[in-house]
Amino acid sequence: MSADRKPMIAVVGAGKCSKKLREMAAVVGKYIAEHGGVLVCGGLGGIMEGAARGAKEAGGVTIGILPSLYKEDANDYIDFPIPTGFGEARNVLVVRAADVVIAFPGKYGTLSEMAFALQAKKPVISISAWRLSEEIKQAESPEQAAELAMKYAEEILGVDKR
Amino acid sequence: MSADRKPMIAVVGAGKCSKKLREMAAVVGKYIAEHGGVLVCGGLGGIMEGAARGAKEAGGVTIGILPSLYKEDANDYIDFPIPTGFGEARNVLVVRAADVVIAFPGKYGTLSEMAFALQAKKPVISISAWRLSEEIKQAESPEQAAELAMKYAEEILGVDKR
Amino acid sequence: MSADRKPMIAVVGAGKCSKKLREMAAVVGKYIAEHGGVLVCGGLGGIMEGAARGAKEAGGVTIGILPSLYKEDANDYIDFPIPTGFGEARNVLVVRAADVVIAFPGKYGTLSEMAFALQAKKPVISISAWRLSEEIKQAESPEQAAELAMKYAEEILGVDKR
Amino acid sequence: MSADRKPMIAVVGAGKCSKKLREMAAVVGKYIAEHGGVLVCGGLGGIMEGAARGAKEAGGVTIGILPSLYKEDANDYIDFPIPTGFGEARNVLVVRAADVVIAFPGKYGTLSEMAFALQAKKPVISISAWRLSEEIKQAESPEQAAELAMKYAEEILGVDKR
């Protein structure tokens, strides 16, 4: 792995959501990009699109791990679409690609991503997402969520760099 | 698919559990087998082993979808080990193989299975498992869980048989 | 794994084929079933259907690991349909489920299965399939292919039973 | 997907190879990067490392889709490690991520990648790799392979951009 590889932060949440939530996701994406992180997501709409847009507006890099076989299914803000053809099973790949996961409200797909992240002992930061466990870090705002995520990721990268 | 294919019921839950829970899982496995169902599980210990043992003691058939590449990792009561080499990502395959899912207490792996089943709109019956949603059917006893599961599966198979 | 688990033999090949080839696949399926083996295949038509029909006519057990999410896509001779939703990527799961692979003529899907089997150092027996390597055993007839496959599988199971 | 997304070219081949082959792979990676493409590979050594090094030396972007769960397993020239935990089954994801595949000599893993690419009707360009089919384009040199790959990818992107 490149000695200066960047933190990879997954943002997960509903594929359809309110404008307000999408803007909150954009704030997260922007923060990640401004602080040298890479945005990973499921590549589709809603939270995923908001986060990717925020990252791109700040000049960042975005990776979208898609359920379908078709790169065209990625939202307009995905630099590197990774089509899997696995349907919702691609959720586990989103988590495996991430150093840290930020969860927004979502349904069972989001829940599966949080479950896999917790199972893999990756840090999970929630903005009003499923309340499952004390192990999930609750954030009060998108800025706080993004800041926490970058902090955890940098700790992990520090360990990796031994 | 064979015109008389059998209902396939997944039993999910912790890989390590109390003797009491393992016996409850065995009751479920026994009921499924006695009523013509096939037991599907993750193939390992704890709840999975209890359910598979119950099914085998009643002369039933058991399928274990394993995280590793090695059939030897299956518990002693698995007729057909399906090694995947996917680690915990095999959970989604357990759910996809099932017509109905019965969930016992478990940690995040179990949670991911419940999430995928709900996402796929498959019936999920809980015996003291994660309380996530009104869509999960709560059972008071292993017998009731197994009975409900077979009832739902037969409805699904009836539809399939049109 | 059950102490007396049965050899699991995958039969791979084209999803559409001549009647002659389908009958040859049926001979293989029949032999496997008569000698206590379990037939594993991709669950669809052509060679897969021929092999599954042969196994069922001899009272055997058949497992079909399907590309789609739908058990209804399995051919009429599949006892246990395992829908994956992975598309052609399910080929690797067919191979991982098998102790030994018998390959009939097929296109690139069949080729991928042979490649994965060879990569995993599983025995591959060919009946006029892709000529790739000296490591593939060439069979002159379906009977010989099935006989060889059962012999290899029993050796593997013997080793497993240590 | 971003309106100006870049061609994604997979380079596949042996994880261990001669210095000569590694340098040829580096020439391919360099050409791809210089012409605005993204290098996709399996993230490990040999051909994968050569191609990634070439791409990085020309200031390009590299994605490594890893068999393990560990980003640390990626070679030193991978910007974006995507750990899958799927073992050799990750090969299908390398192919699905690519617009075009360039194949160098390799063993059965490489063969599985060529098979999946041909099955998915993606262009495959060979530099002395497995001779399987008339559908594979034979290149005489790494430069020619990379040039052909970029040409095919741009045609595909042109179609996508309709």
Side-chain angles (χ1 to χ4, degrees):
Chain A
M1 167 180 77
S2 165
D4 60 348
R5 86 150 171 95
K6 295 176 174 168
M8 292 169 72
I9 313 293
V11 176
V12 305
K16 290 183 183 176
C17 68
S18 68
K19 188 167 185 303
K20 190 185 161 199
L21 277 169
R22 212 160 48 229
E23 292 310 312
M24 287 170 69
V27 171
V28 168
K30 186 161 176 279
Y31 185 101
I32 291 168
E34 285 172 349
H35 291 76
V38 174
L39 179 83
V40 177
C41 70
L44 302 183
I47 296 295
M48 299 171 261
E49 183 163 347
R53 177 167 52 80
K56 287 313 298 172
E57 284 172 2
V61 170
T62 58
I63 296 175
I65 300 180
L66 298 164
S68 78
L69 287 171
Y70 309 110
K71 296 189 184 189
E72 305 88 278
D73 291 343
N75 69 55
D76 291 348
Y77 308 100
I78 296 298
D79 294 320
F80 306 121
I82 312 276
T84 66
F86 284 13
E88 282 287 313
R90 71 80 156 79
N91 293 0
V92 68
L93 293 169
V94 171
V95 169
R96 288 180 170 178
D99 297 308
V100 177
V101 174
I102 299 176
F104 277 82
K107 286 213 70 178
Y108 301 125
T110 303
L111 178 60
S112 73
E113 290 168 311
M114 296 175 76
F116 273 120
L118 291 164
Q119 197 275 331
K121 301 193 186 308
K122 299 199 177 184
V124 178
I125 298 154
S126 165
I127 305 180
S128 314
W130 292 86
R131 288 198 170 267
L132 299 166
S133 156
E134 294 298 310
E135 296 175 56
I136 297 171
K137 284 84 180 157
Q138 304 296 329
E140 302 300 317
S141 67
E143 290 83 358
Q144 195 198 352
E147 195 185 328
L148 259 175
M150 288 301 293
K151 187 170 80 70
Y152 285 120
E154 280 155 16
E155 285 173 19
I156 291 164
L157 282 163
V159 169
D160 283 348
K161 280 175 181 167
R162 274 172 309 186
Chain B
M1 163 181 80
S2 166
D4 60 349
R5 87 151 171 94
K6 295 177 174 167
M8 292 169 73
I9 314 293
V11 176
V12 305
K16 290 184 184 175
C17 68
S18 67
K19 188 167 186 303
K20 190 185 161 198
L21 277 168
R22 212 160 48 230
E23 292 309 311
M24 286 170 69
V27 171
V28 168
K30 186 162 176 276
Y31 185 101
I32 291 168
E34 285 173 349
H35 291 77
V38 174
L39 179 84
V40 176
C41 70
L44 302 183
I47 296 296
M48 299 171 260
E49 182 164 347
R53 177 167 51 79
K56 286 313 297 172
E57 285 173 1
V61 169
T62 58
I63 296 175
I65 300 180
L66 297 165
S68 78
L69 288 171
Y70 309 109
K71 296 190 184 188
E72 305 87 279
D73 290 344
N75 68 55
D76 291 348
Y77 309 100
I78 297 298
D79 293 320
F80 306 120
I82 311 278
T84 65
F86 282 15
E88 282 287 314
R90 72 79 156 80
N91 292 1
V92 69
L93 293 170
V94 171
V95 169
R96 287 179 171 179
D99 298 307
V100 177
V101 174
I102 299 176
F104 276 83
K107 286 213 71 176
Y108 301 125
T110 303
L111 178 60
S112 73
E113 290 168 311
M114 296 175 77
F116 274 120
L118 291 163
Q119 198 275 332
K121 300 192 188 308
K122 298 200 178 185
V124 178
I125 298 155
S126 166
I127 304 181
S128 314
W130 292 86
R131 288 199 168 268
L132 298 166
S133 155
E134 294 298 310
E135 296 176 56
I136 297 171
K137 283 83 180 159
Q138 304 296 329
E140 302 300 318
S141 68
E143 290 82 359
Q144 196 198 351
E147 194 184 328
L148 260 175
M150 287 301 293
K151 186 171 79 71
Y152 285 120
E154 279 154 17
E155 284 172 20
I156 291 164
L157 281 163
V159 169
D160 283 348
K161 279 178 182 167
R162 273 173 311 186
Chain C
M1 161 181 84
S2 166
D4 60 348
R5 87 151 171 94
K6 294 177 175 169
M8 292 169 72
I9 313 293
V11 176
V12 305
K16 291 184 184 175
C17 68
S18 67
K19 188 166 186 303
K20 189 186 162 199
L21 276 168
R22 213 160 48 232
E23 292 309 311
M24 286 170 69
V27 170
V28 168
K30 186 161 177 278
Y31 185 101
I32 291 168
E34 285 173 348
H35 291 76
V38 174
L39 180 83
V40 176
C41 70
L44 302 182
I47 296 296
M48 299 171 261
E49 183 164 346
R53 176 166 53 77
K56 288 312 297 172
E57 285 172 1
V61 169
T62 59
I63 296 175
I65 300 180
L66 297 164
S68 78
L69 287 171
Y70 309 110
K71 295 189 186 190
E72 304 89 278
D73 291 344
N75 69 55
D76 291 347
Y77 309 99
I78 296 297
D79 293 317
F80 307 120
I82 311 277
T84 65
F86 282 15
E88 282 286 315
R90 71 76 157 82
N91 292 1
V92 69
L93 292 169
V94 171
V95 169
R96 287 179 172 180
D99 298 307
V100 176
V101 174
I102 299 176
F104 277 82
K107 285 212 71 177
Y108 301 125
T110 303
L111 179 60
S112 74
E113 291 168 310
M114 295 175 76
F116 274 120
L118 290 163
Q119 198 275 331
K121 301 196 188 305
K122 298 198 178 186
V124 179
I125 298 155
S126 165
I127 304 181
S128 313
W130 292 86
R131 288 197 169 270
L132 299 166
S133 155
E134 294 298 310
E135 296 174 55
I136 298 172
K137 282 82 179 160
Q138 305 295 329
E140 302 299 318
S141 67
E143 290 83 359
Q144 195 199 351
E147 194 185 329
L148 260 175
M150 288 301 293
K151 186 170 81 69
Y152 284 120
E154 279 155 17
E155 284 173 19
I156 291 163
L157 282 162
V159 169
D160 282 349
K161 280 176 182 168
R162 274 173 310 183
Chain D
M1 162 181 83
S2 167
D4 60 347
R5 88 152 170 93
K6 294 176 175 169
M8 292 169 72
I9 313 292
V11 175
V12 305
K16 290 184 183 175
C17 68
S18 68
K19 189 166 186 303
K20 189 185 162 198
L21 277 168
R22 212 160 49 231
E23 291 312 309
M24 287 170 69
V27 171
V28 168
K30 186 162 177 277
Y31 185 101
I32 291 168
E34 285 173 349
H35 291 77
V38 174
L39 179 82
V40 177
C41 69
L44 302 182
I47 296 296
M48 300 170 260
E49 183 164 348
R53 177 167 52 79
K56 287 314 296 172
E57 284 172 2
V61 170
T62 57
I63 296 175
I65 300 180
L66 298 164
S68 78
L69 288 171
Y70 309 109
K71 296 190 185 189
E72 305 88 279
D73 290 344
N75 69 55
D76 290 348
Y77 308 99
I78 296 298
D79 294 318
F80 306 120
I82 312 277
T84 65
F86 282 14
E88 282 286 315
R90 72 76 156 83
N91 293 0
V92 68
L93 293 169
V94 171
V95 169
R96 288 179 172 179
D99 297 308
V100 177
V101 175
I102 299 176
F104 276 83
K107 284 212 71 176
Y108 301 125
T110 303
L111 178 60
S112 73
E113 290 168 312
M114 296 175 76
F116 274 120
L118 291 164
Q119 197 276 330
K121 301 195 187 304
K122 299 199 177 186
V124 179
I125 298 155
S126 165
I127 305 180
S128 313
W130 292 87
R131 288 198 169 267
L132 298 165
S133 154
E134 294 298 308
E135 296 175 55
I136 298 171
K137 284 82 178 159
Q138 305 296 328
E140 302 299 318
S141 67
E143 290 83 0
Q144 196 199 351
E147 195 185 328
L148 259 175
M150 288 302 292
K151 186 170 80 71
Y152 284 120
E154 280 155 16
E155 284 173 19
I156 291 164
L157 282 162
V159 169
D160 283 347
K161 280 176 181 167
R162 272 174 312 186

